[in-house]
Amino acid sequence: NAFEKGYMVTLLPSNYDKAKEKYYFTQLKNKRFDGIIVTSRVHEMAEIEKFTKYGTIVCCEDTGDYLVSGVYVDRLAAYNQVFAELKAQGKNKIALTLGRSQLISNSARLTFEAYQKNFGPLNPDYLVDNCYDGPGGIIAGDYFSQLKDVPEVVFTNNDETALAIFQVFQRKGLTVQVIGQSNMYVSEAMGISTIDLQLSEIGRLAFDLVCTKEYQKICLKSEY
């Protein structure tokens, strides 16, 4: 979408380094960028709001009452749907993988909120965080598969992690239901349940808001 309209896209990896993230935001003041699309962050939303006086900032999450544009999916509704269905099926040994803890990650916080609404407190043994990709999924899969009470279901934070966990259990001759997020091609190829987070549409709409410099909050429906 950006290339079609003659814009250059610069990727700004921060690795959740707050100083580096702040440096990127301050570049708006120097007009180095026309705008910034924030896909993930470590800054508080109140801090990000202060940088909007320098240029357009669009976050790929619900920005709440702050005057920061946001394009996002209703993750909580999807998470509640998943856990409600698992509960109706009689499943109760459900493990989770997260990228970051619920103290700093909005999606992790919503995952916990939906889980606790349907099942109550989470067994600490059924949680692995700092899990971002396939290698992290292998570590999580090895850990979960060695537990005395092996989980029936692992709800993961992305499809790559879900696939890796599924393969670890399969290699050990164990059965597990995995649920991913993002609706990547691997989920369809392997027949893994996933939540479509509408990432392409979020990207398109976020870019449009940068171009128009409009202040908007756009919520999309996610699909399990």
Side-chain angles (χ1 to χ4, degrees), residues 79-92:
Y79 295 167
N80 273 319
Q81 179 189 353
V82 171
F83 292 130
E85 288 189 15
L86 292 174
K87 186 175 182 179
Q89 294 167 8
K91 304 288 178 65
N92 51 44

Side-chain angles (χ1 to χ4, degrees), residues 95-99 128-142 144 154-169 176-182 184 186-187 192-194:
L96 306 177
T97 69
L98 303 173
V128 173
D129 56 17
N130 294 311
C131 190
Y132 295 98
D133 50 22
I138 292 173
I139 294 172
D142 281 331
F144 289 137
V154 181
F155 181 81
T156 72
N157 46 311
N158 63 68
D159 289 344
E160 192 177 352
T161 297
L163 175 60
I165 292 172
F166 178 78
Q167 290 178 325
V168 169
F169 272 70
V176 69
Q177 178 183 353
V178 293
I179 299 171
Q181 297 185 57
S182 297
M184 298 171 63
V186 295
S187 63
I192 293 173
S193 298
T194 186

